[in-house]
Amino acid sequence: MILQKIGIFVAAMLFATVSVADTLDMQENHPTKYVVKKGDTLWDISGKFLKKPWYWPKIWNVNPQIDDPHWIYPGDVLTLVWIDGKPYLQKAVSAQTNKPIPTIDAKAIKTFLKHDQVLPFDDNERAKIPYVLGENDAKKVIAETGDIYVRGSLAKGTQYAIYRKGPLLKDEAGRKLGYQAVYSGALVAGEGNGTVTKALLVKNIQEVMPGDYVMPFNNDDGYDLYFVPKPAQVETSVLALGNLDYNLAGRNDTVVLGKGSKDGVSTGDVFAISKTGKGVVGHAAEETDYYEFSTAGKQFGADKNFKLPDDVVGQAMVYKTYDNVSLAIILTAQKSVGVGYKAGKPE
């Protein structure tokens, strides 16, 4: 709890460094008073007042008489006031008998968080992770529940997740960041001798194979979702989609971004997701074509570098960071989001 308070305070202080020139546009039909309801999120409430919800700290009037002033509880009454010509939200002191509302809807990411893992790129680091050896019928694909054996020591009676090494994650410069882990199933650890552990395979999401990694489930109730939205200050790209079964992502889907905590990314950072503009070639109307489809048009040297403007297709907010990558949830999407799309500072 103390760490949550410190994190919110630091986020608010960092936001104070954002340029005052940033535009604070109010929604045309914004309310002047709002009563917080159970099920609300900080992002949704901010969107009722602001066209750019990531500027929430600019409108929130911190009252030092209220404990944890950035936390908002069901039943709180928020009132819009104007001070020196600028809009601010104030809240009355409440009983605070309930849990504060989260920044984003936990239900939208709960399942993904429980199974989310990024495997390290370094072979020596991956070698420290327990993995499936197989089972005594010598099946290369284990599609049924039953006894299997794991290389490594596991806690008896504990349930573990099984992961397949997925796609390699690389940033824009080609730097190898790690491997996306693909959730394959679950097992319960049995007896072991410190080197090999017998286990019961209890769930198959897909076939389990020798060499699959065995790791603890994430504690999906242990994530701090009480952070403050703020505009991202770095630029990166979408490395992968949370759901590998699809080529495009939409609202409430998770995407993997190519920068993490080592790059200054933190929870609450809001990125604008953009589709790169297409190249166009040709000196005249009759010669104009998209560069990727053009044949004769590619002879027009300098014009092959003419590019249509990038299209902003949505916004995504970071809810978890690793050293080199981050997980973000798409909160608004005018169009679908794909791998390779740009993730930059929101307008």
Side-chain angles (χ1 to χ4, degrees), residues 7-332:
I8 290 175
F9 175 76
V10 171
M13 294 301 293
L14 287 175
F15 187 87
T17 63
V18 176
S19 170
V20 294
D22 291 327
T23 304
L24 193 63
D25 295 327
M26 303 294 294
Q27 294 282 12
E28 283 82 359
N29 298 317
H30 63 76
T32 57
K33 183 176 291 187
Y34 182 76
V35 179
V36 180
K37 303 185 296 294
K38 185 177 181 181
D40 280 342
T41 66
L42 184 59
W43 176 265
D44 291 337
I45 291 176
S46 180
K48 294 180 185 296
F49 293 92
L50 296 173
K51 291 183 178 179
K52 301 174 181 178
W54 51 91
Y55 285 141
W56 172 261
K58 282 183 168 290
I59 197 176
W60 185 245
N61 189 28
V62 176
N63 186 341
Q65 296 178 342
I66 301 176
D67 293 335
D68 306 316
H70 283 285
W71 291 6
I72 301 174
Y73 297 78
D76 283 350
V77 179
L78 309 181
T79 304
L80 184 68
V81 299
W82 294 82
I83 303 174
D84 296 329
K86 296 180 180 180
Y88 292 95
L89 277 176
Q90 294 179 334
K91 80 170 179 178
V93 177
S94 64
Q96 299 182 359
T97 55
N98 301 303
K99 291 183 179 180
I101 63 170
T103 303
I104 55 179
D105 187 356
K107 294 192 296 294
I109 60 174
K110 183 175 182 179
T111 300
F112 188 81
L113 275 175
K114 184 175 183 180
H115 302 144
D116 166 64
Q117 293 286 357
V118 174
L119 296 169
F121 172 71
D122 183 81
D123 293 342
N124 293 326
E125 289 299 315
R126 289 201 314 281
K128 300 175 183 178
I129 304 173
Y131 58 88
V132 174
L133 289 171
E135 48 86 69
N136 280 326
D137 287 332
K139 295 177 181 177
K140 291 188 176 181
V141 175
I142 307 170
E144 300 176 355
T145 59
D147 291 336
I148 61 174
Y149 292 88
V150 175
R151 177 78 176 188
S153 180
L154 304 177
K156 183 179 178 180
T158 301
Q159 189 175 81
Y160 290 84
I162 304 171
Y163 296 94
R164 177 93 26 82
K165 186 173 75 171
L168 176 64
L169 302 174
K170 297 190 292 185
D171 64 14
E172 300 85 351
R175 182 171 56 118
K176 298 173 182 178
L177 306 176
Y179 293 93
Q180 195 169 1
V182 181
Y183 177 57
S184 300
L187 59 78
V188 176
E191 298 288 348
N193 58 15
T195 302
V196 175
T197 301
K198 186 177 182 179
L200 177 65
L201 180 63
V202 294
K203 181 186 290 187
N204 291 86
I205 302 301
Q206 55 184 320
E207 297 89 350
V208 173
M209 302 175 68
D212 285 353
Y213 291 97
V214 177
M215 304 171 72
F217 277 108
N218 288 322
N219 178 4
D220 53 310
D221 295 323
Y223 292 96
D224 181 7
L225 298 181
Y226 306 101
F227 45 76
V228 179
K230 57 190 185 300
Q233 297 300 303
V234 300
E235 295 184 351
T236 180
S237 64
V238 176
L239 297 187
L241 307 183
N243 191 332
L244 295 176
D245 294 330
Y246 296 94
N247 295 322
L248 295 170
R251 188 173 181 271
N252 287 336
D253 286 338
T254 288
V255 293
V256 182
L257 302 181
K259 288 188 177 177
S261 57
K262 286 186 176 179
D263 306 294
V265 178
S266 60
T267 53
D269 283 358
V270 177
F271 286 85
I273 307 298
S274 303
K275 186 175 184 179
T276 303
K278 293 293 186 180
V280 177
V281 298
H283 283 301
E286 291 81 2
E287 301 165 347
T288 299
D289 196 359
Y290 295 109
Y291 180 75
E292 60 188 288
F293 300 135
S294 174
T295 54
K298 291 182 180 180
Q299 64 186 302
F300 300 113
D303 283 337
K304 73 179 182 181
N305 295 319
F306 183 79
K307 189 174 75 69
L308 299 178
D310 296 343
D311 283 334
V312 176
V313 298
Q315 286 81 34
M317 182 189 293
V318 172
Y319 64 84
K320 183 180 179 183
T321 60
Y322 289 90
D323 287 346
N324 298 312
V325 299
S326 302
L327 302 181
I329 181 174
I330 300 174
L331 293 174
T332 61

